[in-house]
Amino acid sequence: MTLKKRLLVLNTTIILGLGSAFSIPGVNAESIKKLENQKSQIQQQRSNLQATLAEADKELVTVLKEIAELNTKIAKVEKAIEDNNKLIAETETNIASTKSEVDQLKAEMAVIEERIEKRSAILKQRAQSFQESGGTVAYLDVLLGASSFSDFVDRVGAVTTFVQADKQLLEEQEQDKKAFEEKKAAVEEELAGLTSMMTELKGMQAAMEEQKQQNSSLIQQLKEKENSIADKKAKLQSEDVKYASLIADIEQSIAAQTAPVQAVAYTSASSGSSSAVAGSSSKTKGSAAVSKSKPAAQKSKGSSASAPKPSVNGGSAISIVTTAGNKYIGNSVYVFGGGRNAYDIANGRFDCSGFVHWAFSQAGISVGASTDSLKFAGRQVSSSEMRAGDLVFFDTYKRDGHVGIYLGGGKFIGSQSSTGVAIANMSSGYWKTKFNGRVVRIIE
């Protein structure tokens, strides 16, 4: 065979081979195109889902922070309840001791009363005897009726004895009456103290019940948020797994259909063109693998940082007093007797009068730390004249049992048993019914 014929045969073979090689993609092209479109759509949907998942992650961070704050608050409430329980136990012990003292006083009073009654009977008999013998001249009659000097002396001695005995009885009677009145006053004082302690105990118990309810509510909120977070995260992750599985299936189908074509093309085409095909198929399309960079950290808003205390000049004292407690709103707890030491102040543990005492101290003003001392700490003014910075009093478990700082607009700030430090409305609702009209002005 001549060279020309050989070249003709070779060219014919190459053309036939190339024709058969490129006829196969024509058969699978439509199916592969559909799969590629499906893959693109699913990747887009997965990309959208991952964006939603990223937003969910941000939400989780916020919620987890809130959960941490709730746990901190719950811990504070639990500690407050524990401290209040100890105080109740101490008060109950004091009540038992006071009852014992009262019983002892009553026993002593009974003895004194018995002595007074006996002396009263003797003096009554003496009085009757004097009246029957002529009243107050009876002793003189006895002396004038003497038959001799010795009889007179004897009668004088007898009369003196009677007079001294009567005088002693009267003195003893007066002493016992005085002792009786003193014991009676002591009993009344002890009973008043006992009644006051019982009133405070009931007030503490009521406050503790409110704290327990608040604690239960916080725990319930915590559980609901945890469940909501878990459900949302599980659903998003489940959807992401489904999308990943669909994409993998489509990629396998595409690979299965393109593998024979690539093999035929490789055997039929030149190595240069097959390299181009291989290079083309090696391009990555996983846009989901590209992650956007985010700032490593964000600036803190400094909610826990303490602002510098403004200087007290002009009307700034009222501003300091009315705003000092803002940092404790939602971050404090009511503790009976709280707010009187560094630990309580650092951890936001106040009762109503302890909070008022602390707030005024921030402006360099010293006031009492009990409602009884605060209600006389300044000038009494009419409720129609009250202004920001005035003290307002409420009848809760006792007269003037609660105190707060008036802010204006019918609002006051104070440490409430159910909320800790909070701003409350005294123009309507519970506090309107408890406001007794007492207003004390500390800052003129």
Side-chain angles (χ1 to χ4, degrees):
M1 183 179 293
T2 64
L3 180 60
K4 186 176 181 179
K5 287 183 179 180
R6 287 180 180 177
L7 290 172
L8 180 62
V9 172
L10 181 58
N11 288 337
T12 303
T13 304
I14 291 172
I15 291 170
L16 290 173
L18 290 174
S20 63
F22 287 105
S23 65
I24 293 174
V27 175
N28 297 326
E30 185 177 353
S31 175
I32 292 173
K33 186 176 181 181
K34 288 181 179 180
L35 289 173
E36 290 288 355
N37 289 337
Q38 290 177 1
K39 178 182 175 182
S40 179
Q41 291 175 0
I42 293 172
Q43 283 178 329
Q44 183 60 45
Q45 291 174 352
R46 188 184 184 193
S47 178
N48 294 338
L49 181 140
Q50 287 177 338
T52 304
L53 188 59
E55 290 297 323
D57 286 337
K58 291 180 181 179
E59 183 181 356
L60 289 177
V61 171
T62 302
V63 172
L64 289 173
K65 181 180 178 182
E66 186 177 353
I67 288 172
E69 291 173 354
L70 287 175
N71 277 323
T72 301
K73 192 168 185 178
I74 288 171
K76 287 183 178 181
V77 172
E78 292 291 347
K79 184 66 170 63
I81 291 174
E82 179 184 346
D83 291 343
N84 282 339
N85 277 330
K86 290 179 180 178
L87 187 56
I88 286 176
E90 291 175 4
T91 304
E92 288 176 339
T93 300
N94 291 336
I95 287 173
S97 176
T98 302
K99 283 183 176 180
S100 178
E101 291 177 8
V102 168
D103 291 341
Q104 180 65 30
L105 287 172
K106 287 181 178 179
E108 292 176 6
M109 286 173 61
V111 172
I112 293 173
E113 284 180 320
E114 184 179 357
R115 288 204 305 264
I116 289 174
E117 288 177 359
K118 288 181 178 179
R119 289 197 196 92
S120 296
I122 294 172
L123 291 171
K124 185 177 180 180
Q125 290 177 356
R126 295 283 179 89
Q128 274 182 333
S129 175
F130 294 160
Q131 186 176 8
E132 290 172 357
S133 60
T136 56
V137 297
Y139 289 132
L140 183 60
D141 291 341
V142 170
L143 295 175
L144 294 176
S147 58
S148 63
F149 180 75
S150 59
D151 185 27
F152 176 80
V153 171
D154 291 339
R155 291 192 179 202
V156 168
V159 168
T160 302
T161 301
F162 284 131
V163 169
Q164 289 176 344
D166 289 347
K167 184 178 180 181
Q168 184 178 356
L169 282 175
L170 290 171
E171 287 177 352
E172 289 176 357
Q173 190 76 338
E174 288 301 319
Q175 290 174 357
D176 276 349
K177 282 183 178 181
K178 183 179 179 181
F180 178 82
E181 292 299 327
E182 289 175 352
K183 295 288 186 181
K184 183 180 178 182
V187 169
E188 289 176 349
E189 184 178 354
E190 292 292 337
L191 287 175
L194 178 61
T195 302
S196 178
M197 281 192 290
M198 286 296 294
T199 303
E200 291 182 1
L201 177 60
K202 289 179 180 179
M204 284 188 288
Q205 288 174 332
M208 284 184 60
E209 288 302 320
E210 290 179 359
Q211 289 175 342
K212 286 182 179 179
Q213 291 175 6
Q214 181 187 18
N215 193 27
S216 298
S217 176
L218 291 174
I219 291 173
Q220 184 62 33
Q221 291 177 28
L222 179 62
K223 289 181 178 179
E224 289 175 358
K225 287 184 178 180
E226 284 180 334
N227 292 336
S228 177
I229 292 168
D231 291 344
K232 189 171 185 178
K233 189 174 181 179
K235 288 177 181 178
L236 289 172
Q237 289 175 338
S238 177
E239 289 296 319
D240 188 59
V241 170
K242 288 179 182 179
Y243 283 131
S245 178
L246 287 173
I247 291 172
D249 290 343
I250 290 173
E251 288 177 342
Q252 287 180 359
S253 297
I254 293 172
Q257 294 191 39
T258 57
V261 176
Q262 291 174 351
V264 173
Y266 179 77
T267 58
S268 305
S270 66
S271 61
S273 62
S274 66
S275 297
V277 173
S280 175
S281 64
S282 67
K283 293 180 180 179
T284 59
K285 300 179 181 180
S287 62
V290 180
S291 62
K292 295 181 179 180
S293 63
K294 297 182 179 180
Q298 295 179 348
K299 292 182 179 180
S300 171
K301 294 184 179 180
S303 58
S304 61
S306 58
K309 189 186 298 182
S311 60
V312 180
N313 49 45
S316 63
I318 293 176
S319 177
I320 294 172
V321 168
T322 55
T323 61
N326 289 349
K327 66 179 181 179
Y328 288 115
I329 295 175
N331 186 35
S332 60
V333 64
Y334 181 92
V335 177
F336 197 91
R340 293 161 177 80
N341 56 60
Y343 173 81
D344 283 349
I345 293 169
N347 290 276
R349 294 156 49 91
F350 295 96
D351 63 6
C352 62
S353 53
F355 171 74
V356 169
H357 173 81
W358 172 83
F360 274 85
S361 72
Q362 301 309 290
I365 300 172
S366 178
V367 295
S370 67
T371 54
D372 287 340
S373 62
L374 288 171
K375 66 184 180 182
F376 299 117
R379 180 168 63 90
Q380 307 283 320
V381 299
S382 170
S383 59
S384 62
E385 300 174 359
M386 63 183 176
R387 70 185 187 196
D390 289 345
L391 302 185
V392 286
F393 291 79
F394 305 85
D395 293 343
T396 50
Y397 67 92
K398 67 175 183 177
R399 176 74 176 172
D400 298 316
H402 188 72
V403 62
I405 303 170
Y406 188 64
L407 300 177
K411 304 291 181 64
F412 76 96
I413 187 170
S415 181
Q416 278 66 264
S417 58
S418 60
T419 61
V421 177
I423 295 174
N425 187 357
M426 57 184 289
S427 297
S428 62
Y430 175 81
W431 292 110
K432 181 180 180 180
T433 63
K434 297 298 181 180
F435 178 53
N436 62 20
R438 185 189 294 280
V439 180
V440 176
R441 180 160 299 163
I442 305 294
I443 306 172
E444 294 292 347

